[in-house]
Amino acid sequence: MSFKLTAQAIELKLGNPLRKMVLIQLCDQANSETNICWSSYEYIAEVCEMSRRTVITHIQWLEENGFLWIERRYNDKEKKNFSLIKFNSVYLNKE
């Protein structure tokens, strides 16, 4: 849980309250030392009370606009295994 990232996300203007809720929840789930989040789309959707598809759409927007980036990892059969979400220190300062 990263209180610092969460507090910084609250200050951002994203133009969409649902998008901001997703970002705040991702920041809340991030490791406070590494600023990496491992949460699933399903978990974020449940906590934010929105569909999985809506969460994915907002996370894609956040990635396309440089707020975070996603490192997709695959198993040996080229099936997606999990993703790491890392936050851009330009928007969310890592001091």
Side-chain angles (χ1 to χ4, degrees):
M1 177 177 286
S2 178
F3 293 114
K4 186 174 184 178
L5 277 178
T6 303
Q8 291 168 343
I10 289 169
E11 298 299 318
L12 293 173
K13 303 291 185 208
L14 300 177
N16 183 302
L18 297 178
R19 185 175 300 134
K20 189 169 190 172
M21 182 185 299
V22 169
L23 179 61
I24 290 169
Q25 185 57 38
L26 290 170
C27 289
D28 184 59
Q29 294 300 308
N31 179 296
S32 60
E33 293 178 15
T34 62
N35 289 351
I36 294 174
C37 177
W38 296 72
S39 293
S40 68
Y41 293 129
E42 291 80 7
Y43 178 76
I44 299 299
E46 180 182 326
V47 172
C48 294
E49 298 184 30
M50 58 183 72
S51 72
R52 181 179 184 274
R53 181 69 244 167
T54 299
V55 168
I56 291 169
T57 299
H58 289 304
I59 291 174
Q60 286 173 337
W61 186 94
L62 291 164
E63 182 180 31
E64 289 167 3
N65 287 275
F67 289 91
L68 53 83
W69 69 93
I70 301 173
E71 180 181 320
R72 292 160 180 87
R73 296 192 176 179
Y74 299 87
N75 64 18
D76 57 348
K77 296 179 183 176
E78 293 300 313
K79 291 180 105 178
K80 192 166 127 180
N81 201 11
F82 62 90
S83 299
L84 298 175
I85 296 177
K86 301 177 183 180
F87 299 93
N88 187 338
S89 62
V90 171
Y91 294 104
L92 301 167
N93 294 324
K94 183 180 174 185
E95 296 176 8

